[in-house]
Amino acid sequence: MGTSDAKPKAVDLFCGAGGASMGLLQAGFEVVGAVDADESALDVYSENLCGSNSLDFSGEVTFNEPLRADLSRDYTGYDTADSIPTVTFADIRDHFGIETGEIDLICGCPPCQNFSALRDTDPWPDGEPKDELLRAFVEFVEEEVPPLVLFENVSNIVNAGDDVPTAYVDWLLRRMGEINRDDSRRGGYGRELSVLNAADYGVPQRRRRSIGAFVYGVDDDSVTLPDPTHANPTIAATDREDWVTVDERINRDDLKEDLELGHAQTGIDGFPDDPAHRSRRHHDSTVQMIQAIRKHGGSWKDLRGTDDEDKIKDCHQDLSTGAASAYGIMAADEPAPTLTTRCTNVSSGRFTHPRENRAITFREAALLMGFPESFSLPSINEKAERVIGNAVPPQLIRAVATTLVESFPSMLHAESKSAR
Ligand SMILES: C[S@@+](CC[C@H](N)C(=O)[O-])C[C@H]1O[C@@H](n2cnc3c(N)ncnc32)[C@H](O)[C@@H]1O
């Protein structure tokens, strides 16, 4: 990073509560701007990442609070009770006092409605994406044209299957390849986009995400994503470290395991107060079902044909396929399954604690997403769960951002200033 202390500068679009920002900070970036529409996620961002009490990273956040704004560029509008402004990148620069051309990297995780489980599988007749937030994201990049761009999204955009248009990715790659600064230098972004599994980068969670790395004015071949550092130890011997397991991350001395359901870890002798180490309340029948599942296997399907068959919930009685992971018990010696915005509900996936007859707590979920131990979470369950389930694991972004910085040091403004 050159001889000066200057750090590369990044702006985080669709920043949520700051998962991606934390990865950038870990990679040594100064985050000079961050924008999202969700007020409660932004409160969490401010509390953890801004100001003098913020968590400690090698990089830093330079503003007091992120900007609440609609990033849809008026294509769709943001569905909210109160009206919030739509912004251009010039507005974002003005708001945070950023000079034109000062930014080294734009990071963005535009949510892709078309690729959720309820996605619309119609082809795109005119070759243009129906997903307007993706279009808006590319237009923000086009306005600034920073040397580096980092893009994160669900894995489905790459490997959605034959029935879903790959036009989304084709469109993104084509448009990024066409973007030109208004100068004589060679334009277009060099592009690399593939699906990475966060577990392969030391995150204690299987989370497959599409990651795009874009570098202005270079060939596609010279843009690379980071090599995995971790591997599944049950497949084949490699020189990588073993995947980090659930127990390695959440079986800890500072968490008290035998919480009463619904009670937070506060006022317990010998343990630090942690209001986020609380689990949801379960009905007695749910607890009994979990106990039976633990006895007979790992899923409600294992209760079939046993003397506990009557504990299978009515909604599952007739199901022959699907929902197999509901009420499932998380394996202690593997990475967690993908954590969703319902990841502290036992009915919503394999989210039961490996040993306790309860869902994982909000703290445990945050730890499995790779958040720091002292990350502060909302007291309202749904908000806490949404912040975690929506996040990008910081370690994954750190790995990608570090590779970009190390591969293209001369592209960074901080580097070129220190070389003078
Ligand atoms: C996948 S989450 C981003 C997660 C975040 N990067 C992190 O790592 O924690 C997508 C975000 O897009 C935001 N969002 C959705 N529509 C938006 C809009 N029109 N304008 C601004 N933000 C929007 C949501 O509030 C949500 O926080």
Side-chain angles (χ1 to χ4, degrees):
M1 226 181 276
T3 50
S4 86
D5 290 337
K7 297 179 166 66
K9 295 182 185 350
V11 167
D12 186 3
L13 301 179
F14 306 94
C15 65
S21 280
M22 285 192 278
L24 296 170
L25 295 168
Q26 289 171 350
F29 274 81
E30 236 176 32
V31 179
V32 297
V35 190
D36 197 282
D38 181 343
E39 192 167 22
S40 53
L42 293 178
D43 288 344
V44 180
Y45 190 112
S46 296
E47 190 173 346
N48 288 285
L49 301 184
C50 302
S52 51
N53 293 328
S54 61
L55 298 168
D56 202 18
F57 295 104
S58 53
E60 63 207 41
V61 164
T62 60
F63 45 88
N64 291 328
E65 53 184 46
L67 172 63
R68 182 167 187 234
D70 178 356
L71 291 169
S72 72
R73 295 184 79 103
D74 278 335
Y75 283 127
T76 51
Y78 183 70
D79 186 16
T80 175
D82 50 342
S83 68
I84 55 173
T86 54
V87 283
T88 61
F89 205 82
D91 297 329
I92 295 171
R93 270 197 303 260
D94 280 357
H95 178 87
F96 290 105
I98 301 166
E99 304 278 334
T100 307
E102 195 187 355
I103 294 163
D104 296 291
L105 181 143
I106 291 180
C107 175
C109 317
C112 294
Q113 302 91 330
N114 291 329
F115 290 90
S116 72
L118 301 171
R119 65 187 179 230
D120 175 354
T121 54
D122 289 347
W124 297 335
D126 54 1
E128 287 292 299
K130 283 190 290 181
D131 203 303
E132 308 298 10
L133 292 178
L134 175 72
R135 188 194 298 236
F137 175 71
V138 171
E139 289 181 11
F140 287 123
V141 170
E142 205 164 21
E143 247 188 289
E144 173 66 21
V145 200
L148 309 173
V149 176
L150 203 168
F151 169 86
E152 186 268 356
N153 226 290
V154 293
S155 60
N156 272 353
I157 66 161
V158 172
N159 51 8
D162 292 342
D163 58 337
V164 178
T166 56
Y168 183 105
V169 166
D170 295 345
W171 181 89
L172 173 67
L173 295 178
R174 176 170 59 77
R175 290 287 293 110
M176 292 298 288
E178 287 168 355
I179 291 177
N180 267 298
R181 283 197 193 117
D182 191 17
D183 61 21
S184 55
R185 291 167 58 184
R186 188 199 141 173
Y189 279 89
R191 306 148 298 181
E192 171 68 295
L193 193 148
S194 14
V195 176
L196 306 184
N197 185 347
D200 292 340
Y201 297 86
V203 179
Q205 184 191 154
R206 292 182 171 94
R207 193 174 184 88
R208 300 179 74 252
R209 282 296 186 266
S210 298
I211 299 287
F214 303 94
V215 182
Y216 188 72
V218 305
D219 292 334
D220 292 346
D221 290 350
S222 57
V223 185
T224 52
L225 291 168
D227 290 332
T229 51
H230 293 66
N232 182 348
T234 63
I235 291 192
T238 65
D239 54 2
R240 298 189 230 151
E241 290 180 56
D242 290 350
W243 273 350
V244 181
T245 67
V246 167
D247 251 7
E248 282 174 291
R249 188 67 176 142
I250 68 170
N251 194 5
R252 331 164 38 94
D253 291 341
D254 56 349
L255 294 183
K256 183 159 168 54
E257 283 286 330
D258 57 342
L259 295 171
E260 269 183 69
L261 288 177
H263 282 254
Q265 178 176 305
T266 48
I268 303 178
D269 261 0
F271 290 89
D273 280 357
D274 184 354
H277 191 46
R278 66 179 188 277
S279 65
R280 285 177 181 275
R281 288 186 182 282
H282 305 313
H283 290 295
D284 290 349
S285 63
T286 303
V287 176
Q288 285 159 16
M289 181 177 173
I290 294 172
Q291 283 167 334
I293 288 173
R294 204 180 286 288
K295 187 166 109 196
H296 295 290
S299 150
W300 65 268
K301 289 194 171 184
D302 298 323
L303 302 186
R304 286 192 174 143
T306 73
D307 53 357
D308 284 315
E309 192 161 36
D310 61 326
K311 298 198 172 64
I312 298 176
K313 298 263 172 191
D314 289 347
C315 60
H316 289 314
Q317 289 285 1
D318 297 329
L319 286 182
S320 53
T321 56
S325 63
Y327 302 97
I329 294 172
M330 221 178 240
D333 57 354
E334 295 174 12
T338 304
L339 300 186
T340 65
T341 53
R342 305 268 300 156
C343 64
T344 59
N345 280 277
V346 283
S347 60
S348 300
R350 192 169 291 282
F351 301 140
T352 307
H353 188 275
R355 285 168 299 277
E356 301 286 315
N357 293 323
R358 58 164 172 81
I360 54 169
T361 66
F362 299 91
R363 171 62 63 218
E364 288 163 343
L367 290 171
L368 294 171
M369 190 56 80
F371 280 21
E373 285 76 2
S374 50
F375 193 89
S376 167
L377 288 161
S379 55
I380 296 172
N381 291 349
E382 285 65 32
K383 289 185 177 175
E385 201 174 43
R386 193 166 76 237
V387 157
I388 299 163
N390 267 340
V392 190
Q395 279 153 282
L396 183 57
I397 296 296
R398 178 185 65 186
V400 181
T402 302
T403 297
L404 280 172
V405 166
E406 289 177 353
S407 307
F408 299 97
S410 63
M411 296 250 177
L412 304 174
H413 296 100
E415 178 76 13
S416 47
K417 274 183 208 141
S418 70
R420 274 180 208 147

